[in-house]
mmCIF file of all heavy atoms in Angstrom:
data_model
loop_
_atom_site.group_PDB
_atom_site.id
_atom_site.type_symbol
_atom_site.label_atom_id
_atom_site.label_comp_id
_atom_site.label_asym_id
_atom_site.label_seq_id
_atom_site.Cartn_x
_atom_site.Cartn_y
_atom_site.Cartn_z
ATOM 1 N N SER X 219 -17.759 0.818 -12.702
ATOM 2 C CA SER X 219 -16.497 0.896 -13.406
ATOM 3 C C SER X 219 -15.469 0.084 -12.663
ATOM 4 O O SER X 219 -15.479 -0.002 -11.446
ATOM 5 C CB SER X 219 -15.992 2.366 -13.663
ATOM 6 O OG SER X 219 -15.792 2.993 -12.393
ATOM 7 N N TYR X 220 -14.488 -0.405 -13.423
ATOM 8 C CA TYR X 220 -13.358 -1.233 -12.919
ATOM 9 C C TYR X 220 -12.075 -0.688 -13.528
ATOM 10 O O TYR X 220 -11.917 -0.603 -14.629
ATOM 11 C CB TYR X 220 -13.565 -2.755 -13.322
ATOM 12 C CG TYR X 220 -12.469 -3.600 -12.821
ATOM 13 C CD1 TYR X 220 -12.375 -4.188 -11.545
ATOM 14 C CD2 TYR X 220 -11.441 -4.033 -13.748
ATOM 15 C CE1 TYR X 220 -11.467 -5.028 -11.174
ATOM 16 C CE2 TYR X 220 -10.423 -4.856 -13.355
ATOM 17 C CZ TYR X 220 -10.398 -5.376 -12.023
ATOM 18 O OH TYR X 220 -9.420 -6.214 -11.643
ATOM 19 N N SER X 221 -11.185 -0.366 -12.527
ATOM 20 C CA SER X 221 -9.868 0.169 -12.936
ATOM 21 C C SER X 221 -8.768 -0.445 -12.046
ATOM 22 O O SER X 221 -9.065 -1.152 -11.055
ATOM 23 C CB SER X 221 -9.863 1.693 -12.734
ATOM 24 O OG SER X 221 -10.934 2.369 -13.378
ATOM 25 N N SER X 222 -7.546 -0.151 -12.475
ATOM 26 C CA SER X 222 -6.500 -0.748 -11.724
ATOM 27 C C SER X 222 -5.422 0.351 -11.481
ATOM 28 O O SER X 222 -5.276 1.253 -12.258
ATOM 29 C CB SER X 222 -5.752 -1.972 -12.370
ATOM 30 O OG SER X 222 -5.147 -1.532 -13.553
ATOM 31 N N VAL X 223 -4.629 0.158 -10.423
ATOM 32 C CA VAL X 223 -3.429 1.093 -10.169
ATOM 33 C C VAL X 223 -2.223 0.137 -10.160
ATOM 34 O O VAL X 223 -2.100 -0.833 -9.379
ATOM 35 C CB VAL X 223 -3.570 1.764 -8.781
ATOM 36 C CG1 VAL X 223 -2.277 2.428 -8.455
ATOM 37 C CG2 VAL X 223 -4.737 2.744 -8.801
ATOM 38 N N SER X 224 -1.342 0.404 -11.045
ATOM 39 C CA SER X 224 -0.001 -0.272 -11.094
ATOM 40 C C SER X 224 1.055 0.784 -10.818
ATOM 41 O O SER X 224 1.402 1.593 -11.687
ATOM 42 C CB SER X 224 0.264 -0.906 -12.384
ATOM 43 O OG SER X 224 1.566 -1.462 -12.512
ATOM 44 N N LEU X 225 1.537 0.784 -9.603
ATOM 45 C CA LEU X 225 2.582 1.715 -9.212
ATOM 46 C C LEU X 225 3.770 1.522 -9.990
ATOM 47 O O LEU X 225 4.544 2.460 -10.434
ATOM 48 C CB LEU X 225 2.872 1.699 -7.720
ATOM 49 C CG LEU X 225 3.717 2.802 -7.134
ATOM 50 C CD1 LEU X 225 3.093 4.164 -7.495
ATOM 51 C CD2 LEU X 225 3.905 2.634 -5.627
ATOM 52 N N ASN X 226 4.183 0.229 -10.384
ATOM 53 C CA ASN X 226 5.303 -0.059 -11.195
ATOM 54 C C ASN X 226 5.166 0.578 -12.560
ATOM 55 O O ASN X 226 6.167 1.201 -13.021
ATOM 56 C CB ASN X 226 5.492 -1.573 -11.307
ATOM 57 C CG ASN X 226 6.180 -2.231 -10.138
ATOM 58 O OD1 ASN X 226 6.982 -1.638 -9.589
ATOM 59 N ND2 ASN X 226 5.735 -3.395 -9.758
ATOM 60 N N ALA X 227 3.955 0.583 -13.170
ATOM 61 C CA ALA X 227 3.824 1.144 -14.514
ATOM 62 C C ALA X 227 3.829 2.645 -14.455
ATOM 63 O O ALA X 227 4.534 3.285 -15.281
ATOM 64 C CB ALA X 227 2.461 0.668 -14.963
ATOM 65 N N LEU X 228 3.317 3.257 -13.323
ATOM 66 C CA LEU X 228 3.425 4.641 -13.165
ATOM 67 C C LEU X 228 4.850 5.116 -12.969
ATOM 68 O O LEU X 228 5.342 6.082 -13.551
ATOM 69 C CB LEU X 228 2.631 5.077 -12.013
ATOM 70 C CG LEU X 228 1.063 4.908 -12.084
ATOM 71 C CD1 LEU X 228 0.400 5.358 -10.813
ATOM 72 C CD2 LEU X 228 0.476 5.770 -13.261
ATOM 73 N N MET X 229 5.640 4.406 -12.199
ATOM 74 C CA MET X 229 7.029 4.744 -11.977
ATOM 75 C C MET X 229 7.849 4.668 -13.285
ATOM 76 O O MET X 229 8.760 5.401 -13.519
ATOM 77 C CB MET X 229 7.624 3.801 -10.970
ATOM 78 C CG MET X 229 7.139 3.981 -9.493
ATOM 79 S SD MET X 229 7.402 2.597 -8.425
ATOM 80 C CE MET X 229 9.101 2.235 -8.739
ATOM 81 N N ALA X 230 7.516 3.729 -14.199
ATOM 82 C CA ALA X 230 8.256 3.512 -15.340
ATOM 83 C C ALA X 230 7.781 4.588 -16.477
ATOM 84 O O ALA X 230 8.723 5.019 -17.199
ATOM 85 C CB ALA X 230 8.044 2.110 -15.887
ATOM 86 N N ARG X 231 6.530 4.908 -16.546
ATOM 87 C CA ARG X 231 6.073 5.670 -17.634
ATOM 88 C C ARG X 231 5.276 6.913 -17.304
ATOM 89 O O ARG X 231 4.911 7.658 -18.348
ATOM 90 C CB ARG X 231 5.220 4.774 -18.568
ATOM 91 C CG ARG X 231 5.964 3.613 -19.134
ATOM 92 C CD ARG X 231 5.205 2.792 -20.096
ATOM 93 N NE ARG X 231 4.232 1.966 -19.412
ATOM 94 C CZ ARG X 231 4.441 0.840 -18.795
ATOM 95 N NH1 ARG X 231 5.714 0.316 -18.772
ATOM 96 N NH2 ARG X 231 3.497 0.146 -18.247
ATOM 97 N N ARG X 232 5.019 7.156 -16.059
ATOM 98 C CA ARG X 232 4.250 8.332 -15.699
ATOM 99 C C ARG X 232 4.903 9.072 -14.458
ATOM 100 O O ARG X 232 4.275 9.307 -13.474
ATOM 101 C CB ARG X 232 2.827 8.065 -15.404
ATOM 102 C CG ARG X 232 1.978 7.566 -16.562
ATOM 103 C CD ARG X 232 1.751 8.667 -17.596
ATOM 104 N NE ARG X 232 0.915 8.272 -18.692
ATOM 105 C CZ ARG X 232 1.208 7.634 -19.743
ATOM 106 N NH1 ARG X 232 2.493 7.304 -19.962
ATOM 107 N NH2 ARG X 232 0.306 7.328 -20.698
ATOM 108 N N GLN X 233 6.212 9.322 -14.640
ATOM 109 C CA GLN X 233 6.942 9.734 -13.447
ATOM 110 C C GLN X 233 6.484 11.109 -12.864
ATOM 111 O O GLN X 233 6.416 11.269 -11.656
ATOM 112 C CB GLN X 233 8.443 9.832 -13.703
ATOM 113 C CG GLN X 233 8.983 8.303 -13.867
ATOM 114 C CD GLN X 233 10.531 8.356 -14.197
ATOM 115 O OE1 GLN X 233 11.133 9.330 -14.249
ATOM 116 N NE2 GLN X 233 10.994 7.131 -14.464
ATOM 117 N N PRO X 234 6.027 12.095 -13.744
ATOM 118 C CA PRO X 234 5.512 13.333 -13.147
ATOM 119 C C PRO X 234 4.276 13.103 -12.349
ATOM 120 O O PRO X 234 4.107 13.714 -11.311
ATOM 121 C CB PRO X 234 5.136 14.154 -14.410
ATOM 122 C CG PRO X 234 6.120 13.651 -15.467
ATOM 123 C CD PRO X 234 6.277 12.184 -15.190
ATOM 124 N N MET X 235 3.433 12.050 -12.671
ATOM 125 C CA MET X 235 2.220 11.751 -11.867
ATOM 126 C C MET X 235 2.715 11.192 -10.539
ATOM 127 O O MET X 235 2.186 11.530 -9.514
ATOM 128 C CB MET X 235 1.400 10.720 -12.565
ATOM 129 C CG MET X 235 0.112 10.371 -11.868
ATOM 130 S SD MET X 235 -0.820 9.087 -12.692
ATOM 131 C CE MET X 235 -1.286 9.952 -14.186
ATOM 132 N N VAL X 236 3.697 10.374 -10.472
ATOM 133 C CA VAL X 236 4.242 9.778 -9.245
ATOM 134 C C VAL X 236 4.749 10.943 -8.389
ATOM 135 O O VAL X 236 4.544 10.957 -7.155
ATOM 136 C CB VAL X 236 5.362 8.716 -9.534
ATOM 137 C CG1 VAL X 236 5.915 8.283 -8.207
ATOM 138 C CG2 VAL X 236 4.875 7.608 -10.297
ATOM 139 N N LYS X 237 5.477 11.895 -8.965
ATOM 140 C CA LYS X 237 5.931 13.023 -8.222
ATOM 141 C C LYS X 237 4.791 13.774 -7.512
ATOM 142 O O LYS X 237 4.866 14.134 -6.354
ATOM 143 C CB LYS X 237 6.717 13.993 -9.105
ATOM 144 C CG LYS X 237 7.294 15.222 -8.442
ATOM 145 C CD LYS X 237 8.368 14.835 -7.477
ATOM 146 C CE LYS X 237 9.081 16.074 -6.882
ATOM 147 N NZ LYS X 237 10.189 15.712 -5.875
ATOM 148 N N GLY X 238 3.712 13.957 -8.230
ATOM 149 C CA GLY X 238 2.514 14.572 -7.657
ATOM 150 C C GLY X 238 1.931 13.733 -6.431
ATOM 151 O O GLY X 238 1.526 14.299 -5.402
ATOM 152 N N LEU X 239 2.025 12.391 -6.657
ATOM 153 C CA LEU X 239 1.515 11.560 -5.481
ATOM 154 C C LEU X 239 2.333 11.712 -4.262
ATOM 155 O O LEU X 239 1.900 11.757 -3.140
ATOM 156 C CB LEU X 239 1.443 10.098 -5.968
ATOM 157 C CG LEU X 239 0.530 9.829 -7.131
ATOM 158 C CD1 LEU X 239 0.704 8.271 -7.608
ATOM 159 C CD2 LEU X 239 -0.943 10.042 -6.696
ATOM 160 N N LEU X 240 3.721 11.756 -4.452
ATOM 161 C CA LEU X 240 4.613 11.945 -3.348
ATOM 162 C C LEU X 240 4.450 13.309 -2.677
ATOM 163 O O LEU X 240 4.505 13.445 -1.405
ATOM 164 C CB LEU X 240 6.033 11.709 -3.790
ATOM 165 C CG LEU X 240 6.461 10.272 -4.254
ATOM 166 C CD1 LEU X 240 7.889 10.259 -4.754
ATOM 167 C CD2 LEU X 240 6.233 9.299 -3.244
ATOM 168 N N GLN X 241 4.256 14.322 -3.457
ATOM 169 C CA GLN X 241 4.074 15.643 -2.980
ATOM 170 C C GLN X 241 2.801 15.679 -2.229
ATOM 171 O O GLN X 241 2.709 16.406 -1.177
ATOM 172 C CB GLN X 241 4.028 16.654 -4.176
ATOM 173 C CG GLN X 241 5.386 16.844 -4.773
ATOM 174 C CD GLN X 241 5.338 17.822 -5.988
ATOM 175 O OE1 GLN X 241 4.317 17.899 -6.659
ATOM 176 N NE2 GLN X 241 6.489 18.439 -6.307
ATOM 177 N N SER X 242 1.717 15.048 -2.677
ATOM 178 C CA SER X 242 0.442 14.956 -1.890
ATOM 179 C C SER X 242 0.659 14.283 -0.619
ATOM 180 O O SER X 242 0.128 14.772 0.455
ATOM 181 C CB SER X 242 -0.620 14.306 -2.732
ATOM 182 O OG SER X 242 -0.972 14.981 -3.799
ATOM 183 N N THR X 243 1.398 13.255 -0.579
ATOM 184 C CA THR X 243 1.657 12.490 0.654
ATOM 185 C C THR X 243 2.383 13.441 1.758
ATOM 186 O O THR X 243 1.933 13.460 2.914
ATOM 187 C CB THR X 243 2.563 11.316 0.409
ATOM 188 O OG1 THR X 243 1.910 10.395 -0.518
ATOM 189 C CG2 THR X 243 2.883 10.652 1.725
ATOM 190 N N MET X 244 3.340 14.212 1.278
ATOM 191 C CA MET X 244 3.997 15.078 2.226
ATOM 192 C C MET X 244 3.066 16.221 2.654
ATOM 193 O O MET X 244 3.130 16.721 3.787
ATOM 194 C CB MET X 244 5.236 15.703 1.628
ATOM 195 C CG MET X 244 6.528 14.765 1.682
ATOM 196 S SD MET X 244 7.007 14.452 3.392
ATOM 197 C CE MET X 244 6.330 12.840 3.673
ATOM 198 N N ARG X 245 2.277 16.635 1.715
ATOM 199 C CA ARG X 245 1.361 17.714 2.114
ATOM 200 C C ARG X 245 0.298 17.268 3.149
ATOM 201 O O ARG X 245 -0.011 17.951 4.124
ATOM 202 C CB ARG X 245 0.562 18.301 0.856
ATOM 203 C CG ARG X 245 -0.349 19.495 1.151
ATOM 204 C CD ARG X 245 -0.850 20.013 -0.123
ATOM 205 N NE ARG X 245 -1.789 19.196 -0.826
ATOM 206 C CZ ARG X 245 -1.596 18.436 -1.862
ATOM 207 N NH1 ARG X 245 -0.349 18.633 -2.485
ATOM 208 N NH2 ARG X 245 -2.427 17.718 -2.461
ATOM 209 N N PHE X 246 -0.224 16.062 2.871
ATOM 210 C CA PHE X 246 -1.200 15.508 3.854
ATOM 211 C C PHE X 246 -0.527 15.302 5.222
ATOM 212 O O PHE X 246 -1.162 15.536 6.231
ATOM 213 C CB PHE X 246 -1.680 14.135 3.377
ATOM 214 C CG PHE X 246 -2.479 14.238 2.150
ATOM 215 C CD1 PHE X 246 -2.579 13.121 1.271
ATOM 216 C CD2 PHE X 246 -3.215 15.351 1.732
ATOM 217 C CE1 PHE X 246 -3.298 13.093 0.123
ATOM 218 C CE2 PHE X 246 -3.950 15.429 0.534
ATOM 219 C CZ PHE X 246 -4.020 14.301 -0.243
ATOM 220 N N LEU X 247 0.750 14.894 5.252
ATOM 221 C CA LEU X 247 1.446 14.683 6.539
ATOM 222 C C LEU X 247 1.694 16.051 7.229
ATOM 223 O O LEU X 247 1.360 16.141 8.474
ATOM 224 C CB LEU X 247 2.864 14.067 6.230
ATOM 225 C CG LEU X 247 3.727 13.823 7.435
ATOM 226 C CD1 LEU X 247 3.200 12.780 8.357
ATOM 227 C CD2 LEU X 247 5.156 13.440 7.031
ATOM 228 N N LYS X 248 2.167 17.026 6.489
ATOM 229 C CA LYS X 248 2.426 18.362 7.159
ATOM 230 C C LYS X 248 1.173 18.971 7.638
ATOM 231 O O LYS X 248 1.141 19.651 8.648
ATOM 232 C CB LYS X 248 3.112 19.230 6.143
ATOM 233 C CG LYS X 248 4.552 18.781 5.823
ATOM 234 C CD LYS X 248 5.167 19.663 4.709
ATOM 235 C CE LYS X 248 6.576 19.122 4.428
ATOM 236 N NZ LYS X 248 7.262 19.963 3.310
ATOM 237 N N ASP X 249 0.020 18.683 7.029
ATOM 238 C CA ASP X 249 -1.307 19.286 7.402
ATOM 239 C C ASP X 249 -1.919 18.406 8.576
ATOM 240 O O ASP X 249 -3.043 18.831 9.019
ATOM 241 C CB ASP X 249 -2.267 19.354 6.271
ATOM 242 C CG ASP X 249 -1.851 20.372 5.180
ATOM 243 O OD1 ASP X 249 -0.989 21.266 5.554
ATOM 244 O OD2 ASP X 249 -2.348 20.323 4.080
ATOM 245 N N GLY X 250 -1.284 17.356 8.932
ATOM 246 C CA GLY X 250 -1.750 16.563 10.039
ATOM 247 C C GLY X 250 -2.841 15.616 9.686
ATOM 248 O O GLY X 250 -3.575 15.004 10.631
ATOM 249 N N HIS X 251 -3.137 15.282 8.473
ATOM 250 C CA HIS X 251 -4.181 14.407 8.014
ATOM 251 C C HIS X 251 -3.843 12.864 8.092
ATOM 252 O O HIS X 251 -4.620 12.076 8.253
ATOM 253 C CB HIS X 251 -4.663 14.744 6.606
ATOM 254 C CG HIS X 251 -5.294 16.145 6.442
ATOM 255 N ND1 HIS X 251 -6.327 16.514 7.252
ATOM 256 C CD2 HIS X 251 -4.991 17.149 5.602
ATOM 257 C CE1 HIS X 251 -6.611 17.780 6.914
ATOM 258 N NE2 HIS X 251 -5.809 18.155 5.900
ATOM 259 N N ILE X 252 -2.523 12.663 7.869
ATOM 260 C CA ILE X 252 -2.004 11.290 7.928
ATOM 261 C C ILE X 252 -0.780 11.195 8.759
ATOM 262 O O ILE X 252 -0.203 12.167 9.137
ATOM 263 C CB ILE X 252 -1.737 10.803 6.511
ATOM 264 C CG1 ILE X 252 -0.523 11.614 5.894
ATOM 265 C CG2 ILE X 252 -2.911 10.838 5.595
ATOM 266 C CD1 ILE X 252 -0.014 11.068 4.529
#
Side-chain angles (χ1 to χ4, degrees):
S219 61
Y220 176 80
S221 303
S222 71
V223 171
S224 171
L225 190 55
N226 280 322
L228 293 176
M229 288 160 50
R231 297 184 289 279
R232 294 292 187 274
Q233 291 178 4
M235 182 182 297
V236 177
K237 181 66 172 180
L239 297 172
L240 295 176
Q241 290 174 334
S242 294
T243 298
M244 277 297 99
R245 184 173 68 252
F246 296 154
L247 177 69
K248 291 174 181 177
D249 290 344
H251 296 307
I252 64 173

